Amino acid sequence: MAVRGRLLSPSAIAWFRTPASVWWGFAAVHGFFLAWMMSFIIHGETFSDTEQYRQWAQLGYNPAVLGDAISPWVYPLLAQLPIFAANMFGPSLYLLGWTLIITALNAVGMAFLVRGTRSQTGIAPAWFWLFFTIFMGFLSFARVEGITTSFVLVALLYASERPVVAGLLLSLATWIKVWPAAVIAPLLIASARRFHVFLTGVVVSAGVAAFAVLTGAGSHLLDFAINQGDRGMQLEATFSTPWVWLSVFNIGGSKIADNVAINSTEVYGPGAEVAAFLMQPLLIVAALAGALLMVWALRRGAERQELLLEGSLLMVTAFIVFNKVGSPQFIIWLLPVVVAGLVHDWNRWKVPATLLMGIAFMTFIIYPLFYTPLIHANPIMAAVLTARNVLLVTLLVWAVRRTVELGRSAIPARSAK
């Protein structure tokens, strides 16, 4: 507060607390990334994963014509919609189409964040989102995660008053990228209208399955889940940290190398294959433990909205920490949960917000700045990655402790109905 007062005049501080200032900030941040992307767009090029998306859009999403290339069905079926829509201006301007889609969706999320009753409480969280984008924009503008952010944010903002709408948005988002399922579970537990939320998810999933069958893609409907089983421990995954350091010191033949078949960098060494095999059941156990903890807190009388938000943070962070895939864009999953938490109670959520900004900054150092030294087992970058992973674990511990505190501080007589 004192630093802000020395740097800015009272009138400037007051202006930054208005929705108009947020939209100017939105224009500046998104304008910067659009201008940066133009260095690729004017040459008909793409950036990062958007090259893969362009190939899929041009080939009609047909695995039969891809040969040994990566299958488009590593994503759920509805991911096809933005991937095809980004081709609206043709292949040479594919990146422009993709960037505009992300920008439009972010604008929708921002509008819900700073309008109506949230015209005041949403301002500071909106600025948090913009500063987060400065670090993570290279990823959010180039990966499917950027598509789902606003879906999840709007769902969380409306979960208490319109849980069915929240369930609809989360179900659609899950069929674009799986991670929003980590928010559906807390919604089902915390919502008093859980049956309607569940039914909404069933209807959406049935519709997606019917569409897949009618278009001849029924056999690929669940490929996104099956294809993950054979992966090894990805370099950035939290549980890969020991093998990163074994590679740094060249112990036991450990190394960091590319898995060309799935365009992933993984760790290899003593026990790495066993760890990769155990990660999926460990993730399931962690998710079940988190769900049971939330059920316990609810039955003790925990406030539903706070339980939904902190439970969502717990589950999403667990999905990252206990995942053998640790792609840097996974950090984007945490953004809508923390922003919604800041809207709900700024003071209570300052700790996870600070942790997330630190995680985002370190992730930016890892990718795109110094990823090449990391894959060559540079000890400084290994230390940065380790520190980032420690912050992720710390965030998970905070979410678990807060959920426990919700249950302990609640009145036992207020059992869930």
Side-chain angles (χ1 to χ4, degrees):
M1 295 288 290
V3 174
R4 183 176 61 186
R6 287 196 296 266
L7 294 176
L8 299 173
S9 65
S11 60
I13 293 175
W15 182 78
F16 276 106
R17 291 173 175 168
T18 65
S21 71
V22 171
W23 286 113
W24 279 107
F26 181 94
V29 171
H30 288 73
F32 167 79
F33 280 103
L34 178 59
W36 189 82
M37 292 295 182
M38 287 302 296
S39 64
F40 297 90
I41 294 169
I42 60 176
H43 298 293
E45 299 174 353
T46 53
F47 173 72
S48 189
D49 282 16
T50 56
E51 174 57 31
Q52 187 68 69
Y53 302 160
R54 179 168 67 175
Q55 292 179 17
W56 292 340
Q58 289 180 272
L59 294 173
Y61 235 76
N62 183 3
V65 301
L66 292 175
D68 295 329
I70 299 171
S71 169
W73 294 95
V74 295
Y75 294 139
L77 186 145
L78 292 187
Q80 296 183 25
L81 298 180
I83 287 174
F84 275 107
N87 204 33
M88 66 183 90
F89 303 123
S92 63
L93 295 177
Y94 187 89
L95 182 58
L96 175 61
W98 184 266
T99 305
L100 291 178
I101 289 173
I102 298 292
T103 301
L105 288 172
N106 286 352
V108 171
M110 194 67 70
F112 276 92
L113 190 59
V114 300
R115 72 170 192 167
T117 58
R118 285 178 295 275
S119 61
Q120 295 302 316
T121 59
I123 299 299
W127 279 109
F128 177 88
W129 181 0
L130 292 174
F131 278 107
F132 179 91
T133 303
I134 292 173
F135 296 123
M136 299 298 294
F138 294 93
L139 292 166
S140 59
F141 282 99
R143 309 288 169 90
V144 172
E145 274 76 7
I147 299 292
T148 56
T149 300
S150 290
F151 279 83
V152 177
L153 175 60
V154 175
L156 287 171
L157 292 176
Y158 279 89
S160 60
E161 54 191 86
R162 297 177 182 173
V164 174
V165 174
L168 173 64
L169 291 172
L170 291 173
S171 298
L172 292 172
T174 300
W175 278 104
I176 295 174
K177 185 74 175 180
V178 179
W179 77 268
V183 181
I184 292 178
L187 179 61
L188 287 170
I189 293 169
S191 176
R193 300 183 63 190
R194 61 179 62 89
F195 175 75
H196 297 88
V197 173
F198 176 77
L199 185 61
T200 300
V202 170
V203 171
V204 170
S205 298
V208 172
F211 176 77
V213 171
L214 291 174
T215 56
S219 61
H220 297 293
L221 184 64
L222 299 178
D223 280 6
F224 67 92
I226 300 171
N227 289 339
Q228 301 299 321
D230 296 331
R231 298 185 70 147
M233 295 294 296
Q234 188 166 314
L235 167 61
E236 304 99 306
T238 307
F239 277 72
S240 294
T241 304
W243 287 277
V244 172
W245 285 104
L246 288 174
S247 300
V248 169
F249 295 108
N250 194 25
I251 297 174
S254 299
K255 64 178 181 179
I256 299 169
D258 289 337
N259 183 338
V260 180
I262 56 174
N263 191 29
S264 173
T265 303
E266 299 175 355
V267 294
Y268 301 86
E273 290 186 5
V274 176
F277 175 78
L278 293 176
M279 287 309 296
Q280 282 187 307
L282 185 60
L283 176 58
I284 293 172
V285 170
L288 288 175
L292 290 174
L293 179 60
M294 283 182 280
V295 170
W296 169 82
L298 181 65
R299 294 183 67 84
R300 291 274 301 177
E303 196 271 320
R304 292 180 183 273
Q305 178 67 5
E306 187 65 30
L307 180 61
L308 167 63
L309 293 170
E310 293 180 2
S312 295
L313 182 63
L314 190 162
M315 294 295 280
V316 173
T317 311
F319 267 43
I320 298 173
V321 170
F322 293 96
N323 204 319
K324 65 180 177 179
V325 182
S327 300
Q329 67 266 23
F330 285 11
I331 306 306
I332 298 169
W333 302 358
L334 295 163
L335 174 66
V337 180
V338 172
V339 169
L342 289 171
V343 173
H344 179 69
D345 190 327
W346 176 268
N347 290 326
R348 183 177 294 174
W349 280 77
K350 284 193 295 187
V351 172
T354 302
L355 288 171
L356 179 56
M357 196 61 75
I359 291 167
F361 176 67
M362 290 186 182
T363 302
F364 175 68
I365 293 174
I366 295 166
Y367 184 91
L369 294 187
F370 300 108
Y371 195 67
T372 298
L374 177 61
I375 63 178
H376 288 92
N378 179 278
I380 296 177
M381 288 310 302
V384 173
L385 176 61
T386 301
R388 195 284 304 266
N389 290 343
V390 168
L391 289 183
L392 279 170
V393 174
T394 303
L395 185 61
L396 177 59
V397 171
W398 185 92
V400 171
R401 288 184 61 183
R402 280 295 304 145
T403 305
V404 171
E405 289 172 7
L406 276 178
R408 286 179 175 172
S409 62
I411 302 174
R414 289 171 51 207
S415 58
K417 296 181 180 180

